[in-house]
mmCIF file of all heavy atoms in Angstrom:
data_model
loop_
_atom_site.group_PDB
_atom_site.id
_atom_site.type_symbol
_atom_site.label_atom_id
_atom_site.label_comp_id
_atom_site.label_asym_id
_atom_site.label_seq_id
_atom_site.Cartn_x
_atom_site.Cartn_y
_atom_site.Cartn_z
ATOM 1 N N TYR A 1375 0.245 -7.570 13.808
ATOM 2 C CA TYR A 1375 -0.343 -6.231 13.653
ATOM 3 C C TYR A 1375 0.613 -5.306 12.924
ATOM 4 O O TYR A 1375 0.217 -4.596 11.981
ATOM 5 C CB TYR A 1375 -0.726 -5.641 15.014
ATOM 6 C CG TYR A 1375 -1.450 -4.332 14.868
ATOM 7 C CD1 TYR A 1375 -2.822 -4.285 14.664
ATOM 8 C CD2 TYR A 1375 -0.746 -3.130 14.849
ATOM 9 C CE1 TYR A 1375 -3.484 -3.079 14.457
ATOM 10 C CE2 TYR A 1375 -1.406 -1.910 14.640
ATOM 11 C CZ TYR A 1375 -2.760 -1.902 14.458
ATOM 12 O OH TYR A 1375 -3.406 -0.707 14.244
ATOM 13 N N GLU A 1376 1.857 -5.288 13.346
ATOM 14 C CA GLU A 1376 2.803 -4.357 12.728
ATOM 15 C C GLU A 1376 3.142 -4.745 11.295
ATOM 16 O O GLU A 1376 3.454 -3.884 10.473
ATOM 17 C CB GLU A 1376 4.045 -4.239 13.590
ATOM 18 C CG GLU A 1376 3.762 -3.505 14.905
ATOM 19 C CD GLU A 1376 5.002 -3.167 15.704
ATOM 20 O OE1 GLU A 1376 6.021 -3.884 15.562
ATOM 21 O OE2 GLU A 1376 4.946 -2.196 16.491
ATOM 22 N N ALA A 1377 3.041 -6.028 10.975
ATOM 23 C CA ALA A 1377 3.231 -6.445 9.586
ATOM 24 C C ALA A 1377 2.131 -5.877 8.691
ATOM 25 O O ALA A 1377 2.390 -5.364 7.606
ATOM 26 C CB ALA A 1377 3.233 -7.987 9.497
ATOM 27 N N VAL A 1378 0.899 -5.938 9.180
ATOM 28 C CA VAL A 1378 -0.235 -5.409 8.409
ATOM 29 C C VAL A 1378 -0.166 -3.877 8.339
ATOM 30 O O VAL A 1378 -0.432 -3.278 7.282
ATOM 31 C CB VAL A 1378 -1.558 -5.896 9.008
ATOM 32 C CG1 VAL A 1378 -2.752 -5.266 8.259
ATOM 33 C CG2 VAL A 1378 -1.668 -7.407 8.960
ATOM 34 N N LEU A 1379 0.181 -3.258 9.459
ATOM 35 C CA LEU A 1379 0.286 -1.792 9.457
ATOM 36 C C LEU A 1379 1.362 -1.341 8.477
ATOM 37 O O LEU A 1379 1.189 -0.334 7.785
ATOM 38 C CB LEU A 1379 0.596 -1.290 10.857
ATOM 39 C CG LEU A 1379 0.663 0.231 11.030
ATOM 40 C CD1 LEU A 1379 -0.668 0.883 10.685
ATOM 41 C CD2 LEU A 1379 1.113 0.605 12.441
ATOM 42 N N LYS A 1380 2.461 -2.049 8.423
ATOM 43 C CA LYS A 1380 3.538 -1.695 7.470
ATOM 44 C C LYS A 1380 3.024 -1.776 6.037
ATOM 45 O O LYS A 1380 3.343 -0.901 5.212
ATOM 46 C CB LYS A 1380 4.718 -2.633 7.679
ATOM 47 C CG LYS A 1380 5.972 -2.232 6.910
ATOM 48 C CD LYS A 1380 7.170 -3.121 7.266
ATOM 49 C CE LYS A 1380 7.654 -2.843 8.668
ATOM 50 N NZ LYS A 1380 8.910 -3.573 8.991
ATOM 51 N N ALA A 1381 2.210 -2.797 5.729
ATOM 52 C CA ALA A 1381 1.644 -2.904 4.388
ATOM 53 C C ALA A 1381 0.692 -1.735 4.098
ATOM 54 O O ALA A 1381 0.708 -1.157 3.011
ATOM 55 C CB ALA A 1381 0.908 -4.239 4.240
ATOM 56 N N ASN A 1382 -0.132 -1.393 5.091
ATOM 57 C CA ASN A 1382 -1.057 -0.271 4.924
ATOM 58 C C ASN A 1382 -0.316 1.015 4.651
ATOM 59 O O ASN A 1382 -0.644 1.782 3.716
ATOM 60 C CB ASN A 1382 -1.932 -0.153 6.197
ATOM 61 C CG ASN A 1382 -2.903 1.005 6.161
ATOM 62 O OD1 ASN A 1382 -2.509 2.168 6.202
ATOM 63 N ND2 ASN A 1382 -4.181 0.699 6.100
ATOM 64 N N LYS A 1383 0.694 1.292 5.438
ATOM 65 C CA LYS A 1383 1.438 2.555 5.300
ATOM 66 C C LYS A 1383 2.251 2.578 4.002
ATOM 67 O O LYS A 1383 2.445 3.668 3.408
ATOM 68 C CB LYS A 1383 2.342 2.776 6.498
ATOM 69 C CG LYS A 1383 1.566 2.979 7.811
ATOM 70 C CD LYS A 1383 0.561 4.129 7.711
ATOM 71 C CE LYS A 1383 -0.205 4.350 8.993
ATOM 72 N NZ LYS A 1383 -1.283 5.384 8.847
ATOM 73 N N ALA A 1384 2.732 1.429 3.562
ATOM 74 C CA ALA A 1384 3.466 1.390 2.273
ATOM 75 C C ALA A 1384 2.555 1.815 1.138
ATOM 76 O O ALA A 1384 2.975 2.610 0.265
ATOM 77 C CB ALA A 1384 4.002 -0.021 2.033
ATOM 78 N N VAL A 1385 1.318 1.347 1.132
ATOM 79 C CA VAL A 1385 0.378 1.720 0.083
ATOM 80 C C VAL A 1385 0.008 3.185 0.211
ATOM 81 O O VAL A 1385 -0.047 3.914 -0.794
ATOM 82 C CB VAL A 1385 -0.868 0.815 0.135
ATOM 83 C CG1 VAL A 1385 -1.922 1.307 -0.866
ATOM 84 C CG2 VAL A 1385 -0.490 -0.615 -0.168
ATOM 85 N N GLN A 1386 -0.266 3.641 1.427
ATOM 86 C CA GLN A 1386 -0.628 5.052 1.593
ATOM 87 C C GLN A 1386 0.496 5.971 1.113
ATOM 88 O O GLN A 1386 0.236 7.067 0.599
ATOM 89 C CB GLN A 1386 -0.966 5.347 3.054
ATOM 90 C CG GLN A 1386 -2.265 4.720 3.512
ATOM 91 C CD GLN A 1386 -2.978 5.541 4.579
ATOM 92 O OE1 GLN A 1386 -2.880 6.763 4.598
ATOM 93 N NE2 GLN A 1386 -3.686 4.861 5.460
ATOM 94 N N GLY A 1387 1.736 5.533 1.263
ATOM 95 C CA GLY A 1387 2.869 6.345 0.828
ATOM 96 C C GLY A 1387 3.075 6.330 -0.679
ATOM 97 O O GLY A 1387 3.688 7.252 -1.224
ATOM 98 N N ALA A 1388 2.573 5.291 -1.347
ATOM 99 C CA ALA A 1388 2.854 5.141 -2.787
ATOM 100 C C ALA A 1388 1.655 5.478 -3.657
ATOM 101 O O ALA A 1388 1.814 5.772 -4.852
ATOM 102 C CB ALA A 1388 3.293 3.713 -3.083
ATOM 103 N N ALA A 1389 0.435 5.402 -3.120
ATOM 104 C CA ALA A 1389 -0.775 5.592 -3.941
ATOM 105 C C ALA A 1389 -0.915 7.050 -4.346
ATOM 106 O O ALA A 1389 -0.844 7.955 -3.525
ATOM 107 C CB ALA A 1389 -2.014 5.146 -3.172
ATOM 108 N N LYS A 1390 -1.126 7.264 -5.620
ATOM 109 C CA LYS A 1390 -1.327 8.615 -6.163
ATOM 110 C C LYS A 1390 -1.833 8.479 -7.603
ATOM 111 O O LYS A 1390 -1.793 7.378 -8.165
ATOM 112 C CB LYS A 1390 -0.038 9.436 -6.127
ATOM 113 C CG LYS A 1390 1.107 8.816 -6.924
ATOM 114 C CD LYS A 1390 2.392 9.649 -6.784
ATOM 115 C CE LYS A 1390 3.531 9.008 -7.564
ATOM 116 N NZ LYS A 1390 4.776 9.812 -7.424
ATOM 117 N N PRO A 1391 -2.298 9.550 -8.209
ATOM 118 C CA PRO A 1391 -2.748 9.465 -9.593
ATOM 119 C C PRO A 1391 -1.672 8.908 -10.512
ATOM 120 O O PRO A 1391 -0.475 9.266 -10.393
ATOM 121 C CB PRO A 1391 -3.083 10.921 -9.946
ATOM 122 C CG PRO A 1391 -3.464 11.537 -8.624
ATOM 123 C CD PRO A 1391 -2.547 10.912 -7.634
ATOM 124 N N GLY A 1392 -2.069 8.016 -11.410
ATOM 125 C CA GLY A 1392 -1.156 7.416 -12.350
ATOM 126 C C GLY A 1392 -0.601 6.062 -11.918
ATOM 127 O O GLY A 1392 0.057 5.383 -12.687
ATOM 128 N N VAL A 1393 -0.862 5.673 -10.665
ATOM 129 C CA VAL A 1393 -0.353 4.423 -10.127
ATOM 130 C C VAL A 1393 -1.408 3.331 -10.328
ATOM 131 O O VAL A 1393 -2.600 3.560 -10.139
ATOM 132 C CB VAL A 1393 -0.013 4.580 -8.633
ATOM 133 C CG1 VAL A 1393 0.279 3.229 -7.999
ATOM 134 C CG2 VAL A 1393 1.186 5.510 -8.477
ATOM 135 N N SER A 1394 -0.979 2.129 -10.673
ATOM 136 C CA SER A 1394 -1.875 1.016 -10.854
ATOM 137 C C SER A 1394 -2.305 0.443 -9.506
ATOM 138 O O SER A 1394 -1.468 0.186 -8.628
ATOM 139 C CB SER A 1394 -1.184 -0.095 -11.669
ATOM 140 O OG SER A 1394 -1.866 -1.328 -11.554
ATOM 141 N N TRP A 1395 -3.604 0.207 -9.347
ATOM 142 C CA TRP A 1395 -4.101 -0.416 -8.124
ATOM 143 C C TRP A 1395 -3.586 -1.837 -7.988
ATOM 144 O O TRP A 1395 -3.359 -2.330 -6.870
ATOM 145 C CB TRP A 1395 -5.618 -0.383 -8.140
ATOM 146 C CG TRP A 1395 -6.255 -0.783 -6.829
ATOM 147 C CD1 TRP A 1395 -7.072 -1.845 -6.611
ATOM 148 C CD2 TRP A 1395 -6.135 -0.122 -5.555
ATOM 149 N NE1 TRP A 1395 -7.472 -1.877 -5.284
ATOM 150 C CE2 TRP A 1395 -6.904 -0.827 -4.635
ATOM 151 C CE3 TRP A 1395 -5.441 1.011 -5.124
ATOM 152 C CZ2 TRP A 1395 -7.012 -0.447 -3.288
ATOM 153 C CZ3 TRP A 1395 -5.556 1.414 -3.800
ATOM 154 C CH2 TRP A 1395 -6.328 0.664 -2.897
ATOM 155 N N VAL A 1396 -3.382 -2.518 -9.100
ATOM 156 C CA VAL A 1396 -2.781 -3.855 -9.061
ATOM 157 C C VAL A 1396 -1.386 -3.779 -8.451
ATOM 158 O O VAL A 1396 -1.017 -4.608 -7.587
ATOM 159 C CB VAL A 1396 -2.721 -4.483 -10.475
ATOM 160 C CG1 VAL A 1396 -1.956 -5.800 -10.454
ATOM 161 C CG2 VAL A 1396 -4.125 -4.698 -11.024
ATOM 162 N N ASP A 1397 -0.616 -2.786 -8.842
ATOM 163 C CA ASP A 1397 0.735 -2.635 -8.276
ATOM 164 C C ASP A 1397 0.672 -2.329 -6.784
ATOM 165 O O ASP A 1397 1.542 -2.748 -6.012
ATOM 166 C CB ASP A 1397 1.490 -1.507 -8.997
ATOM 167 C CG ASP A 1397 1.900 -1.898 -10.414
ATOM 168 O OD1 ASP A 1397 1.866 -3.118 -10.729
ATOM 169 O OD2 ASP A 1397 2.261 -1.000 -11.193
ATOM 170 N N MET A 1398 -0.366 -1.605 -6.360
ATOM 171 C CA MET A 1398 -0.522 -1.324 -4.931
ATOM 172 C C MET A 1398 -0.837 -2.616 -4.151
ATOM 173 O O MET A 1398 -0.336 -2.817 -3.042
ATOM 174 C CB MET A 1398 -1.621 -0.296 -4.716
ATOM 175 C CG MET A 1398 -1.280 1.101 -5.245
ATOM 176 S SD MET A 1398 0.149 1.872 -4.400
ATOM 177 C CE MET A 1398 1.501 1.365 -5.505
ATOM 178 N N HIS A 1399 -1.645 -3.473 -4.742
ATOM 179 C CA HIS A 1399 -1.928 -4.747 -4.108
ATOM 180 C C HIS A 1399 -0.651 -5.567 -3.966
ATOM 181 O O HIS A 1399 -0.378 -6.180 -2.911
ATOM 182 C CB HIS A 1399 -2.962 -5.523 -4.910
ATOM 183 C CG HIS A 1399 -3.300 -6.870 -4.361
ATOM 184 N ND1 HIS A 1399 -4.287 -7.079 -3.423
ATOM 185 C CD2 HIS A 1399 -2.725 -8.090 -4.587
ATOM 186 C CE1 HIS A 1399 -4.329 -8.367 -3.126
ATOM 187 N NE2 HIS A 1399 -3.392 -9.007 -3.815
ATOM 188 N N LEU A 1400 0.132 -5.597 -5.026
ATOM 189 C CA LEU A 1400 1.390 -6.351 -4.990
ATOM 190 C C LEU A 1400 2.378 -5.769 -3.991
ATOM 191 O O LEU A 1400 3.080 -6.509 -3.292
ATOM 192 C CB LEU A 1400 1.998 -6.370 -6.391
ATOM 193 C CG LEU A 1400 1.197 -7.164 -7.455
ATOM 194 C CD1 LEU A 1400 1.799 -6.961 -8.827
ATOM 195 C CD2 LEU A 1400 1.152 -8.653 -7.094
ATOM 196 N N LEU A 1401 2.415 -4.439 -3.889
ATOM 197 C CA LEU A 1401 3.270 -3.787 -2.893
ATOM 198 C C LEU A 1401 2.851 -4.199 -1.495
ATOM 199 O O LEU A 1401 3.678 -4.514 -0.620
ATOM 200 C CB LEU A 1401 3.198 -2.292 -3.057
ATOM 201 C CG LEU A 1401 3.860 -1.448 -1.953
ATOM 202 C CD1 LEU A 1401 5.365 -1.701 -1.894
ATOM 203 C CD2 LEU A 1401 3.568 0.043 -2.159
#
């Protein structure tokens, strides 16, 4: 659970205009 939550929060912290969704998947 915490592994998945860490992935979720990493994307939420990095996603913003100008960012590639592919890069978010890789993150």
Side-chain angles (χ1 to χ4, degrees):
Y1375 185 86
E1376 290 189 334
V1378 176
L1379 183 62
K1380 188 174 290 186
N1382 178 291
K1383 295 305 180 186
V1385 174
Q1386 290 211 32
K1390 60 183 179 181
V1393 170
S1394 163
W1395 190 242
V1396 173
D1397 288 345
M1398 292 297 93
H1399 178 89
L1400 293 172
L1401 171 63

